[in-house]
């Protein structure tokens, strides 16, 4: 009991903490209700040997040297700079984020109504004015001809053998034991000195203060007997149909190349309650009421549990941010609890 730790969730937040504590001699049990590790970064080779990300495309990018160094212990990398296009009503592909060339092709006055409004309203199920400006401003409008989606990040690469393989290496330690298809139950806590929990915080507290809203995505996978469709991995829609974007997997260079087939996935946003309670994106509303509800949950006294990750902290975090946050949480715990 004194050195036993429970980690709920085998995604980035849980796996990084498990590894850091395991290396310091704690016995770490990692549980996940899904039948695989890697959380939402899970990828697999489909029937055409194309590497598909089951929960949408995960592009790794960061300026954080220590995050990149930490993960590099568990994977080699393939360089990849993400490029995105939007498809217009007449079939033309133009560059996103909007740059000078996009503005020339579409007209500067049409930028919001072509690219921002339809995508954001579908994505969040809200009117543009109800969405927090922080979300809208995540995708800049540029005054240059740069075509890169993440132009400022020093490290942009994909794990050479995929995310799942990287997680296998991360969790491969004699002090770490992983149990899949195991949902968290409160009665488990008694056996451990501390619990790091990446499940939704409102679910943990039985929704006692009310549910926190999330957006979800339905994924529609299609295999086609042609070599390739798009020049880039991601194409966003500008129409008001149900889909926000389509991803062509072989355009991510760590995928094996099949010259006969290509695999694409359409993303259809919806509420998590319409999708088996699959929670993907915390909803950051302009009024801030969702965040306020989260903070009420966070105030509940619970010294044995640390809530981690995007569900435990109710915030959208990129992978590098989750890794950075989990490294900090593990370091603090190790400082306060030596064996
Ligand atoms: C569609 C999409 C695209 C994304 N693209 C990018 C990208 O390009 N670049 C980037 O940096 N980031 C991207 N992200 C963000 C990335 O997915 C997150 O940063 C990362 O997955 C967060 O890790 P986590 O451990 O917090 O959560 P998760 O990966 O979701 O892991 C949490 C785990 O906890 C498990 N769990 C939940 N409840 C329970 C329970 N009650 N009992 C047991 N287990 C439980 C879940 O099954 C899950 O495996 C994207 C996210 C989405 C949704």
């Amino acid at each position: 009991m004194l050195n036993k730790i429970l980690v709920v969730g085998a995604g980035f937040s849980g796996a990084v903490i498990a590894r850091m504590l395991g290396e310091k001699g704690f016995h770490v049990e990692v549980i996940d209700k899904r039948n695989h590790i890697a959380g939402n970064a899970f990828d697999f080779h489909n029937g055409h040997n194309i590497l598909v990300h089951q929960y949408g495309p995960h592009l790794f990018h960061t300026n954080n040297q220590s995050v990149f160094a930490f993960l590099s212990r568990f994977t080699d990398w393939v360089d990849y700079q993400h490029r995105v296009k939007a498809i217009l009503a007449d079939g033309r592909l133009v560059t996103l984020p909007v740059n000078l060339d996009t503005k020339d092709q579409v007209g500067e006055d049409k930028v919001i109504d072509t690219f921002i409004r339809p995508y954001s309203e579908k994505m969040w199920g809200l009117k543009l004015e109800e969405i927090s400006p922080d979300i809208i401003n995540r995708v800049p409008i540029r005054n240059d001809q740069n075509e890169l989606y993440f132009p400022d990040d020093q490290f942009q690469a994909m794990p050479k053998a995929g995310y799942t393989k990287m997680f296998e290496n991360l969790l491969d330690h004699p002090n770490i034991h992983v149990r899949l298809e195991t949902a968290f139950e409160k009665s488990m806590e008694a056996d451990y000195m501390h619990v790091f929990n990446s499940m939704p915080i409102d679910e943990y507290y039985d929704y006692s203060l009310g549910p926190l809203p999330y957006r979800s995505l339905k994924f529609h996978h299609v295999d086609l007997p042609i070599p390739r469709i798009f020049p880039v991995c991601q194409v966003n829609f500008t129409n008001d149909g149900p889909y926000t974007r389509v991803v062509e997997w072989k355009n991510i260079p760590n995928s094996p190349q099949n010259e006969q087939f290509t695999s694409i996935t359409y993303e259809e946003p919806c509420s998590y309650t319409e999708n088996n309670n699959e929670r993907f994106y915390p909803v950051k509303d302009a009024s801030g009421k969702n965040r306020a509800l989260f903070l009420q949950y966070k105030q509940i006294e619970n010294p044995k549990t640390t809530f981690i990750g995007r569900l435990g902290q109710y915030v959208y975090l990129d992978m590098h941010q989750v890794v950075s946050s989990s490294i900090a949480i593990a370091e603090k715990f190790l400082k306060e609890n030596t064996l």
Side-chain angles (χ1 to χ4, degrees):
M1 158 90 173
L2 262 184
N3 65 352
K4 277 180 70 183
I5 301 291
L6 177 65
V7 170
V8 182
F12 269 105
S13 60
V16 168
I17 289 174
R19 180 73 193 202
M20 289 182 65
L21 270 52
E23 286 181 351
K24 293 292 179 194
F26 287 91
H27 287 272
V28 187
E29 183 97 11
V30 179
I31 59 166
D32 201 299
K33 65 180 183 181
R34 289 174 173 162
N35 64 1
H36 59 73
I37 57 171
N40 280 352
F42 175 70
D43 55 15
F44 65 98
H45 293 91
N46 73 5
H48 300 293
N49 198 27
I50 292 170
L51 188 61
V52 172
H53 304 188
Q54 181 150 317
Y55 305 98
H58 279 67
L59 299 321
F60 187 79
H61 60 99
T62 188
N63 271 322
N64 189 322
Q65 165 74 55
S66 53
V67 165
F68 194 68
F70 179 86
L71 293 178
S72 299
R73 292 173 53 205
F74 309 104
T75 187
D76 292 330
W77 301 93
V78 175
D79 282 340
Y80 172 64
Q81 301 218 307
H82 194 46
R83 287 179 169 77
V84 176
K85 298 285 177 192
I87 189 159
L88 303 176
D90 61 11
R92 272 181 303 156
L93 293 177
V94 295
T95 297
L96 284 183
V98 169
N99 68 6
L100 275 182
D101 292 333
T102 320
K103 286 187 219 172
D104 275 353
Q105 286 161 292
V106 174
E108 190 153 7
D109 55 328
K110 300 210 176 69
V111 162
I112 300 289
D113 285 333
T114 307
F115 303 107
I116 315 284
R117 186 180 298 281
Y119 189 98
S120 307
E121 293 189 347
K122 267 189 261 187
M123 180 65 216
W124 296 103
L126 294 170
K127 291 268 146 225
L128 191 62
E129 295 67 27
E130 296 169 309
I131 304 168
S132 165
D134 293 358
I135 292 180
I136 311 295
N137 295 336
R138 272 173 70 98
V139 183
I141 293 174
R142 297 210 185 106
N143 283 319
D144 57 27
Q145 289 178 305
N146 198 323
E147 291 206 329
L148 299 182
Y149 204 75
F150 307 115
D152 303 323
D153 284 337
Q154 192 186 351
F155 307 102
Q156 295 185 52
M158 299 299 288
K160 194 169 181 181
Y163 287 104
T164 306
K165 185 68 198 164
M166 180 176 81
F167 273 77
E168 278 171 24
N169 296 337
L170 191 53
L171 293 166
D172 180 17
H173 188 279
N175 286 338
I176 300 176
H177 178 230
V178 180
R179 264 195 297 153
L180 298 177
E181 297 182 84
T182 306
F184 171 76
E185 286 167 28
K186 289 234 173 68
S187 59
M188 294 172 175
E189 291 181 338
D191 294 335
Y192 299 90
M193 74 168 283
H194 199 78
V195 181
F196 293 91
N197 199 324
S198 68
M199 72 186 281
I201 192 168
D202 55 340
E203 187 184 331
Y204 176 93
Y205 286 118
D206 300 321
Y207 310 101
S208 55
L209 303 172
L212 287 164
Y214 284 89
R215 284 302 270 176
S216 192
L217 293 172
K218 291 181 186 165
F219 299 104
H220 304 276
H221 301 287
V222 184
D223 295 331
L224 293 165
I226 51 174
R228 176 170 268 104
I229 303 178
F230 298 118
V232 291
C233 138
Q234 178 182 331
V235 174
N236 289 12
F237 294 107
T238 53
N239 60 20
D240 15 293
Y243 308 120
T244 42
R245 61 182 182 177
V246 60
V247 173
E248 185 167 23
W249 298 105
K250 64 163 46 166
N251 291 339
I252 304 181
N254 63 343
S255 173
Q257 297 298 308
N258 178 335
E259 293 310 326
Q260 269 82 51
F261 275 88
T262 193
S263 298
I264 59 177
T265 300
Y266 292 85
E267 291 185 10
E268 178 187 2
C270 59
S271 157
Y272 74 92
T273 50
E274 296 165 54
N275 192 27
N276 271 334
N277 291 338
E278 272 291 1
R279 298 159 163 93
F280 286 140
Y281 299 103
V283 180
K284 200 165 186 186
D285 56 314
S287 72
K289 74 175 170 16
N290 299 342
R291 188 78 197 153
L293 177 57
F294 162 74
L295 291 173
Q296 277 180 276
Y297 275 116
K298 189 128 199 295
Q299 271 163 16
I300 300 174
E301 193 114 337
N302 191 347
K304 202 170 180 175
T305 297
T306 304
F307 289 100
I308 57 172
R310 67 187 177 96
L311 300 168
Q313 300 179 83
Y314 196 66
V315 63
Y316 179 82
L317 296 168
D318 271 334
M319 295 178 282
H320 65 102
Q321 294 167 315
V322 174
V323 174
S324 170
S325 153
S326 291
I327 290 174
I329 289 169
E331 281 172 348
K332 180 167 180 288
F333 179 84
L334 289 169
K335 215 184 232 172
E336 291 164 3
N337 299 275
T338 41
L339 283 178

